[in-house]
């Protein structure tokens, strides 16, 4: 029956998605009501659950002729992937993550939110309101950033913190989309009064992705009243949006000015160290052993989005466990190529970078790879490190090794120095970008 389900997925999914997420998934337990799917790791489970749950339900309904409870078991193995079948160490069934009433997911905590320059303020503010809901000047607290940088994580983190510290507090997490859909349904069913009362009694309202309210006038109106009511009672309100409030077109001015009346903080994309730390924490929390070199490799290529960062790791793990392949640089590169596009990688090596820099900065190749510390040479070497990190698949370790036998922290420092200099020196920036363009093959997509 499960192979019929697999056929169902195969028919409906792109080949790549099927292979990554379903090929090789087995059933570990089957009763008349429950089916337990055996997945290689926590990530895999979360991915199936968040992206494919409806499809899995639909397949089961068709094949089994009735709905079933779907659970997952993770096979944790610290041995090589190709030895998994005989070396099962631990199997545990994961409880569903979302709590029905509060809509909180226990996996989003302050504890597993890695702090970096880009999100420090947002985290500190979130923590303050979680500790003293409604009693800080940060009401409402509004967190904004482009997608995938941890807004939902923080919002949920606030809720999870509060329900643990203040068990009697009524915390409500809600996406703006759900708010709107529930409201529309209420109108259809002639229950708008009931709807208006639904959230009146909460002590803390966590509303995610408010940009959804753009151009939805009735919904905005409805929310405006709820906002005022909660606010007047001193209840804590936290909101997120994907852009600063003053750029929220299609939102009524009076709503926007309410949003702006507390504290607004943004989240900026994480720097390299933060990205590495996030991946290491993930790997650790999920009991995964991934070589540091590979974590660093992924972190240096995926820059703007934590979700994508995690997604890359998920894909790498899925690939490794489904095909029983070791996690190697080669596999990592394969996966990154799929995500970023092959062109992003073709051919650029540290040697190419060294040649270009040598030509442009009139420093010999030997000087670049040597240890000399004369200023022009050191500067050119730093730029070579920066471009190697930007353009090649080499790890920081290897870049350091090639360019003066330095360690990876020197390379990180060099990249930062160059980035900073580029900010203050337009000529330099242009020069570096020109070389970057020269080095990248024609028609290639930009990696970032
Ligand atoms: P947003 O709501 O801004 O689009 P999310 O909160 O959904 O972003 O974050 C995307 C993913 O990245 C989530 O799995 C989240 O746990 C993770 N994430 C984002 N920032 C961090 C961080 N600083 N530390 C750990 N995980 C993070
Ligand atoms: Mg979000």
């Amino acid at each position: 029956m499960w192979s019929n389900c697999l056929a169902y997925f195969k028919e409906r999914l792109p080949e790549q998605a099927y292979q990554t997420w379903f090929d090789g998934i087995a059933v570990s337990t089957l009763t008349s009501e429950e089916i337990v799917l055996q997945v290689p790791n926590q990530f895999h489970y979360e991915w199936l659950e968040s992206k494919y749950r409806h499809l899995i339900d639909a397949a089961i309904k068709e094949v089994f002729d009735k709905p079933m409870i779907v659970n997952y078991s993770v096979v944790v193995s610290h041995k090589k992937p190709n030895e998994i079948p005989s070396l099962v160490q631990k199997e545990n069934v994961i409880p569903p993550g979302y709590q029905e009433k509060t809509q909180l997911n226990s996996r989003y905590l302050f504890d597993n939110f890695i702090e970096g320059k880009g999100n420090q303020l947002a985290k500190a503010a979130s923590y303050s309101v979680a500790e003293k809901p409604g009693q800080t000047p940060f009401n409402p607290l509004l967190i904004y950033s482009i997608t995938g940088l941890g807004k939902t994580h923080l919002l949920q983190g606030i809720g999870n913190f509060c329900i643990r510290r203040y068990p009697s507090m009524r915390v409500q997490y809600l996406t703006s989309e759900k708010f709107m859909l529930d409201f529309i349904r209420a109108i259809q069913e002639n229950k708008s009064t009931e709807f208006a009362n639904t959230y009146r009694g909460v002590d803390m309202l966590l509303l995610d992705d408010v940009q959804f309210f753009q151009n939805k006038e009735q919904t905005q109106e409805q929310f405006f009243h709820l906002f005022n009511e909660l606010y007047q009672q001193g209840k804590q309100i936290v909101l997120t949006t994907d852009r600063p409030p003053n750029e929220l077109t299609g939102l009524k001015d009076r709503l926007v000015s309410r949003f702006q009346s507390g504290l607004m903080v943004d989240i900026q994309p994480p720097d390299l160290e933060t990205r590495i730390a996030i991946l290491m924490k993930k790997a650790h929390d999920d009991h995964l052993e991934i070589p540091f070199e590979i974590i660093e490799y992924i972190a240096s290529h995926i820059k703007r989005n934590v979700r994508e960062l995690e997604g890359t790791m998920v894909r790498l793990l899925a690939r490794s466990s489904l095909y029983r392949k070791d996690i190697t640089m080669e596999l990592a590169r394969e996966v990154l190529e799929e995500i970023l596009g092959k062109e992003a990688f073709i051919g650029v090596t540290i040697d190419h970078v060294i040649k270009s820099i040598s030509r442009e900065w009139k420093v010999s190749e030997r000087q670049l790879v040597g240890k000399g510390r004369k200023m022009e040479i050191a500067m050119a070497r730093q730029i070579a490190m920066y471009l190697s990190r930007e353009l090649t698949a080499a790890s920081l370790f290897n870049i350091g090794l090639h360019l003066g036998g330095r360690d990876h922290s020197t390379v990180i420092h060099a990249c930062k120095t160059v980035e900073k200099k580029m900010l203050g020196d337009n000529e330099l920036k242009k020069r570096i970008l020109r070389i970057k363009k020269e080095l990248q093959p024609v028609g290639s997509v930009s990696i970032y």
Side-chain angles (χ1 to χ4, degrees), residues 107-108 112-114 119 145-153 278 306-307 310:
R107 112 188 163 83
Y108 294 117
N112 57 18
F113 187 84
I114 302 284
N119 62 32
S145 79
I146 55 172
T147 183
L149 294 187
K151 297 184 294 295
T152 299
H153 191 137
I278 289 172
V306 181
R307 187 177 297 124
E310 288 178 346

